[in-house]
Amino acid sequence: MNFAPIIDALALPSDARVDQRVPKKLLLEQGVPTAADKRQIQDDIEEIHWIAALKPTNMGVPEYRDDVREYLEIAVLTVSFRSAAKPARLIELIHRAIPYPVVLVSGQSETVSLSLAHKRWSQGEAGKVVIEDVRRTAPLRPEALETQETQFLSSLALSTLPVNDLFALYQGWIDRLAELEAARITGIFNLPDSIVSSTTLRDVLANHARLQYELTTLRTQATKEKQLNRRVELNMTIKRLESELAELKTTLSP
């Protein structure tokens, strides 16, 4: 599994390196909710490594605390999945099991992916941490990166990220994941330039994904529809959604 392109791109300080194997039983002990989840961990994870622990003491970025969350350090991990694994659920389980925000580099067969997820205090259980949305890149092929993927990797170095505090730094990585998602639509990768534009970008991407899903569903319905009037209605709706999708692409373009 070739994790090197992403790990090297992060440009982690040597003092932060841990380089220890993480036993799978750690995940099994962290409140895995179902027997199926436990089987997935046992059967589909090859190995997990703790690569680095980013702390104020080894990188000079202050910790973050407010009423919603507390970021004292950021954990960088790699995980190797077996070929038959379904990564989405396993990635979520790993993010949930680690009490700190995680930069997770996962690999399966010839591809790797980067995922992050903000964490906050649970509203229902004092002292417990829960994850928010898991943000993940589409699978990357390290030996055959596209131009925007290479630009994305070049943007991940710690020296290029916001350093107000650990929350801002972690958000900087999440913003770059959103920019890569936009680049897959526009063909151009841009660095995030403000909190406002990053928030807007995420909203636009969510709308784009929704429209893509609706279009796929409607096109399937249109090909199966036998009534002419109904097929005409579906095609008109498809054209309207295609127009909305084109407008969103223009919004995403620099």
Side-chain angles (χ1 to χ4, degrees):
M1 208 71 66
N2 187 8
F3 297 120
I6 295 182
I7 296 300
D8 292 347
L10 297 173
L12 303 171
S14 58
D15 290 349
R17 299 289 297 211
V18 177
D19 295 319
Q20 292 181 2
R21 186 166 182 170
V22 178
K24 287 191 283 188
K25 69 177 182 180
L26 177 67
L27 301 184
L28 298 171
E29 293 169 353
Q30 296 301 314
V32 175
T34 68
D37 288 333
K38 293 180 180 180
R39 285 195 299 273
Q40 274 194 282
I41 290 171
Q42 291 283 28
D43 297 343
D44 295 338
I45 292 179
E46 189 71 45
E47 58 183 10
I48 308 171
H49 278 89
W50 184 11
I51 302 300
L54 303 175
K55 306 177 183 180
T57 53
N58 59 39
M59 60 184 303
V61 177
E63 61 189 32
Y64 179 85
R65 286 188 175 92
D66 65 11
D67 294 338
V68 177
R69 68 189 90 239
E70 178 182 77
Y71 283 11
L72 305 181
E73 69 176 78
I74 296 171
V76 181
L77 282 76
T78 62
V79 57
S80 301
F81 296 128
R82 295 184 175 127
S83 58
K86 297 180 179 178
R89 178 59 174 168
L90 289 167
I91 287 171
E92 179 186 342
L93 291 171
I94 295 170
H95 279 284
R96 285 174 49 182
I98 310 298
Y100 302 110
V102 173
V103 177
L104 180 63
V105 186
S106 54
Q108 185 177 32
S109 301
E110 302 299 320
T111 66
V112 294
S113 180
L114 177 65
S115 64
L116 298 99
H118 274 306
K119 296 185 176 178
R120 58 171 175 79
W121 298 118
S122 169
Q123 296 178 348
E125 190 173 345
K128 185 176 180 180
V129 173
V130 297
I131 64 169
E132 297 176 352
D133 290 340
V134 176
R135 311 292 297 186
R136 177 188 173 200
T137 67
L140 308 173
R141 292 186 175 275
E143 309 306 324
L145 293 172
E146 297 180 4
T147 299
Q148 62 264 33
E149 293 170 343
T150 300
Q151 294 169 334
F152 165 72
L153 291 183
S154 298
S155 77
L156 297 179
L158 287 172
S159 60
T160 69
L161 297 170
V163 292
N164 309 56
D165 49 55
L166 291 179
F167 177 81
L169 185 145
Y170 195 78
Q171 182 63 48
W173 274 319
I174 289 179
D175 290 341
R176 282 152 174 76
L177 263 66
E179 290 289 355
L180 177 60
E181 187 177 344
R184 293 190 184 283
I185 299 168
T186 65
I188 301 172
F189 179 82
N190 295 290
L191 284 174
D193 56 10
S194 72
I195 293 175
V196 173
S197 65
S198 296
T199 302
T200 301
L201 174 60
R202 288 193 293 275
D203 290 341
V204 173
L205 288 171
N207 284 334
H208 191 278
R210 175 184 59 80
L211 287 173
Q212 286 278 35
Y213 177 79
E214 290 180 9
L215 274 169
T216 300
T217 302
L218 288 173
R219 285 167 179 156
T220 301
Q221 291 178 3
T223 58
K224 295 179 179 179
E225 182 59 55
K226 295 181 179 179
Q227 294 185 11
L228 179 60
N229 290 345
R230 177 58 180 157
R231 193 160 64 242
V232 169
E233 290 176 3
L234 287 171
N235 286 330
M236 289 177 63
T237 303
I238 288 170
K239 288 185 180 299
R240 177 177 59 79
L241 293 182
E242 287 174 340
S243 178
E244 291 181 25
L245 204 61
E247 289 180 15
L248 283 180
K249 183 176 180 179
T250 300
T251 303
L252 290 170
S253 300

